[in-house]
Amino acid sequence: MASLSRESILNIFLTLAMVALPFVATAIDEPFYITLATRVAILGLAGVGLNLALGTGGLVSFGHAAFFGVGGYAAGILASHALNYTPIMESPFLIEGTNQMLIIWLVAIIASGIVAYLIGLLSLRTSGVYFIMITLAFAQMLYYFAISWPAYGGEDGLSIYVRNAFLGVNTLAPHGFYFICLGLLFGGIFLSATLKNSRFGAALQSARQNEERLSAVGVRPFNIKLTAFVISGMMTGLAGALFADLNRFVSPSMLSWHMSGEIMILVILGGVGRLYGPLAGAIIYILFEFIFGGMTEHWQFFLGLVLLGVVLFARGGVIGLIAGRARHD
Amino acid sequence: MTAALFFEQLLNGMQFGVTLFLMAAGLTLVFGVMGLINLAHGSLYMIGAFACAAVAAATGSFWLGLVASIVAAAFAGAIIEVSVIRRLYDRDHLDQVLATFALILIISEGCRFVFGSFPLFLDVPAILAGPVILPGGLPYPIYRLSIIVVGGLVALGLYLLIAKTRLGIRIRAGEADREMIAALGVDIRTLYTIVFALGAGLAGFAGAMVGALQSVQVGMGEPVLILAFVVIVIGGIGSIKGALIASILVGVVDTLGRVSLPSMFGLFMDPSAASSIGSSISSMLIYVLMAVVLIFKPEGLVSQNG
């Protein structure tokens, strides 16, 4: 045990704290904290997705709201058809809505994966500033599409009146839904740890550090980066589906560039490239919003100041501050 | 679509394109010279519009407001450059994106704190109100026409500034080789502040002119900022000429698409479906244009060295 780094100790602490939280919240009779923690878990998962592209792959995507929103709309559209007993499509074959989370997740993951593949295919032809602007622009394209497409609520968004079902779990109880989200968050963290330590992860990290060297050993950087971008988008899309279920509401604001900024901010606040960075960042972000948002409606002013301070003076985020510089690059 | 309507929409598209150019010129200049991506450029646009609205309301003169918009935005730009942006030139693009995103949050909330959440309204000055009859008998708002003319003059002025003046030589030299012009004794820090303030002033000017067509409100700069990004991706980052071509292209394609697509779909669909599908597709049109340009010319229409 003596060989555990400070970062690992912090990670274990965060894991235990997240598992213990609902029991503490119930004990002190503050069930609202469970809802806050559910938001933490969901945004954390979205951040874990972005962190794979951003931290491990060095792909500065400013358009991850696209995948978050596509996941959310996948959930919203399937659920609203199931509630209204109307099929999504009758010809050439019948597709019906569903309220089963497992199917919704699968659809959300596939849909956001396809969108990530298409956006990645075009935007990964470029790099640097072009990549940032193009991912931003394509996400914005979907945002305007969602606003002007009247079938699913347009600008007003789409309500899901009853939370969807997951096997035998009571998803309407805050506990039940929280542990589903937490389980998926840890699943996402586990997946990125596995990927990062695999051959694929090694190739992805060298794509970030030196593309020429990677091509020299016979691996095409484009394919590696595209694969990472698609997996990243799928995780964020799954988070979007959960977010829709949490709020029982989907709206174009899930696709807006503020959402992309929010996901990116929490990855940065926690620490880019750190396994638990997105979770730590989500905790800080939600706490900040909860505490300052309760005091003043201008809380984003202070968020801006904090973010500016972190970027200018505290690179490495909170985990970097606590655990010191661990990355060698 | 009749020829008159087409011509009117073409002018609207050009007016839109010209305002986009004023935004994109500053962005592309700052990227070309300093290698910086500035998300807060839309905030400078907003500052210009608010300054114009506030001064016009206080003095009753739109013209003083217009001057104020340029001064306020350029001044705000200089302050931002000296206090924050200057520290970002050596950083990677991720840090630049985050820091300038933080600036957006700060400036937007600050503006909402000072001016409130309700939009302000800015009246077109009396001399520019009303229509003018164009050759061919088509009435067209004088104000929109003057935006096209003023924007064209600014583009010309910018060209002369960069091609013919000493400052322009330094800016071009800064694009080509930063270390070298510093070694030749040019004060590069001051040059950077001037370039940033110049871009900011153009953005503020655009904000003030558009402010009289739309309402002046917090967040008004953001959609324009993203369109300006599309413009410089299409035009080629760092190229003013590319920015001019691409902004007119984007302005005209977007405007004509919004008008004509719903009626084109109406030829083979029922009218309500045609108008909803047409408007959804037309809202994506310029992004499709961007994708097509990226497929065939990933470096943009005018590459940086062209």
Side-chain angles (χ1 to χ4, degrees):
Chain A
M1 286 298 278
S3 62
L4 278 180
S5 68
R6 278 157 81 176
E7 186 175 342
S8 311
I9 296 172
L10 183 66
N11 292 352
I12 293 170
F13 172 75
L14 284 176
T15 311
L16 294 177
M18 289 299 282
V19 173
L21 191 134
F23 302 108
V24 176
T26 314
I28 59 171
D29 201 25
E30 291 278 7
F32 175 64
Y33 289 161
I34 303 178
T35 309
L36 274 187
T38 314
R39 272 178 63 102
V40 168
I42 293 172
L43 289 179
L45 179 61
V48 169
L50 177 63
N51 202 20
L52 181 69
L54 183 69
T56 316
L59 305 169
V60 185
S61 161
F62 205 60
H64 259 54
F67 317 129
F68 196 68
V70 165
Y73 269 97
I77 291 171
L78 286 172
S80 71
H81 279 283
L83 287 170
N84 300 332
Y85 299 103
T86 49
I88 295 176
M89 202 165 86
E90 279 172 296
S91 62
F93 40 85
L94 184 74
I95 300 180
E96 300 222 49
T98 175
N99 65 351
Q100 289 302 316
M101 280 191 190
L102 283 173
I103 301 174
I104 288 177
W105 294 344
L106 191 69
V107 173
I109 289 173
I110 293 172
S112 48
I114 292 172
V115 173
Y117 178 76
L118 294 174
I119 293 180
L121 207 56
L122 283 166
S123 50
L124 284 168
R125 295 164 63 93
T126 64
S127 61
V129 153
Y130 271 99
F131 184 78
I132 300 173
M133 293 184 191
I134 292 162
T135 47
L136 172 61
F138 279 128
Q140 204 65 12
M141 171 179 96
L142 291 178
Y143 171 73
Y144 285 121
F145 181 75
I147 280 188
S148 57
W149 187 253
Y152 293 106
E155 210 164 346
D156 300 330
L158 183 64
S159 289
I160 311 168
Y161 297 101
V162 183
R163 191 170 280 157
N164 295 307
F166 178 75
L167 304 178
V169 181
N170 178 7
T171 53
L172 291 172
H175 280 86
F177 189 58
Y178 173 71
F179 279 112
I180 292 171
C181 295
L182 194 65
L184 289 173
L185 169 69
F186 286 134
I189 292 179
F190 178 75
L191 177 65
S192 23
T194 315
L195 283 175
K196 201 174 170 181
N197 296 324
S198 67
R199 284 165 56 91
F200 169 77
L204 182 59
Q205 294 183 56
S206 34
R208 182 187 76 215
Q209 288 157 354
N210 192 330
E211 285 197 16
E212 285 77 18
R213 232 181 255 174
L214 186 62
S215 353
V217 296
V219 182
R220 284 193 60 192
F222 183 87
N223 295 350
I224 297 287
K225 289 196 283 187
L226 185 58
T227 312
F229 192 72
V230 171
I231 298 174
S232 162
M234 286 172 157
M235 284 203 237
T236 305
L238 176 60
L242 295 173
F243 196 70
D245 245 333
L246 172 68
N247 299 328
R248 287 174 237 175
F249 179 65
V250 193
S251 76
S253 72
M254 279 179 79
L255 291 157
S256 79
W257 75 307
H258 278 274
M259 195 68 231
S260 298
E262 211 170 288
I263 300 173
M264 195 184 257
I265 288 175
L266 56 90
V267 172
I268 303 303
L269 285 180
V272 190
R274 308 274 186 170
L275 207 49
Y276 274 66
L279 175 58
I283 294 173
I284 299 167
Y285 186 86
I286 297 292
L287 276 182
F288 195 93
E289 183 183 14
F290 178 63
I291 295 169
F292 284 87
M295 292 196 297
T296 163
E297 58 174 319
H298 302 291
W299 68 277
Q300 291 208 336
F301 182 84
F302 300 100
L303 176 67
L305 286 180
V306 170
L307 179 62
L308 198 57
V310 169
V311 174
L312 291 181
F313 306 113
R315 305 174 77 191
V318 173
I319 294 194
L321 278 180
I322 297 175
R325 288 193 164 271
R327 296 204 303 158
H328 301 283
D329 52 31
Chain B
M1 193 160 41
T2 63
L5 179 64
F6 176 79
F7 193 62
E8 186 185 349
Q9 293 304 330
L10 195 64
L11 283 176
N12 281 346
M14 284 185 62
Q15 178 260 311
F16 184 35
V18 158
T19 45
L20 279 180
F21 171 70
L22 291 177
M23 279 289 281
L27 269 179
T28 203
L29 205 57
V30 165
F31 182 79
V33 179
M34 287 96 102
L36 176 104
I37 173 169
N38 177 25
L39 295 182
H41 206 65
S43 300
L44 297 162
Y45 175 91
M46 179 183 75
I47 287 175
F50 271 101
C52 183
V55 170
T59 63
S61 162
F62 177 77
W63 307 107
L64 279 179
L66 216 49
V67 174
S69 72
I70 303 176
V71 174
F75 190 64
I79 293 176
I80 291 170
E81 201 275 341
V82 171
S83 58
V84 177
I85 303 287
R86 185 170 281 182
R87 299 167 206 275
L88 297 170
Y89 296 138
D90 299 333
R91 298 290 192 84
D92 56 22
H93 294 312
L94 175 61
D95 284 357
Q96 297 174 350
V97 163
L98 289 163
T100 52
F101 188 76
L103 284 175
I104 295 180
L105 296 177
I106 294 171
I107 296 172
S108 291
E109 279 310 319
C111 219
R112 192 169 286 148
F113 186 70
V114 175
F115 291 99
S117 297
F118 294 103
L120 302 180
F121 292 96
L122 191 55
D123 286 327
V124 173
I127 188 172
L128 296 180
V132 62
I133 306 297
L134 294 177
L138 177 75
Y140 192 75
I142 307 180
Y143 186 71
R144 283 178 183 266
L145 199 62
S146 8
I147 292 182
I148 300 177
V149 174
V150 170
L153 289 176
V154 170
L156 184 68
L158 206 55
Y159 166 73
L160 291 176
L161 176 79
I162 288 175
K164 305 285 179 196
T165 66
R166 183 157 284 270
L167 177 63
I169 293 173
R170 289 182 174 166
I171 291 176
R172 278 181 291 145
E175 283 183 321
D177 193 333
R178 279 179 241 180
E179 284 79 17
M180 188 56 93
I181 73 156
L184 289 173
V186 174
D187 181 357
I188 194 100
R189 283 162 75 95
T190 314
L191 179 70
Y192 284 179
T193 310
I194 292 172
V195 169
F196 198 85
L198 176 70
L202 291 176
F205 185 53
M209 289 200 302
V210 174
L213 291 173
Q214 301 162 354
S215 57
V216 176
Q217 56 188 334
V218 174
M220 65 185 285
E222 293 166 9
V224 189
L225 172 82
I226 291 163
L227 288 180
F229 279 157
V230 173
V231 162
I232 62 180
V233 167
I234 292 178
I237 301 182
S239 162
I240 302 253
K241 193 170 83 183
L244 181 61
I245 298 170
S247 17
I248 302 294
L249 191 65
V250 166
V252 169
V253 167
D254 187 60
T255 310
L256 288 183
R258 278 173 204 283
V259 178
S260 60
L261 276 186
S263 50
M264 273 167 63
F265 280 108
L267 296 177
F268 51 88
M269 281 179 186
D270 70 279
S272 70
S275 82
S276 70
I277 292 175
S279 67
S280 311
I281 305 274
S282 63
S283 70
M284 309 206 300
L285 205 56
I286 54 166
Y287 303 98
V288 176
L289 178 70
M290 179 181 84
V292 171
V293 170
L294 276 174
I295 290 168
F296 294 104
K297 299 200 84 167
E299 296 294 304
L301 294 177
V302 181
S303 76
Q304 203 176 342
N305 303 321

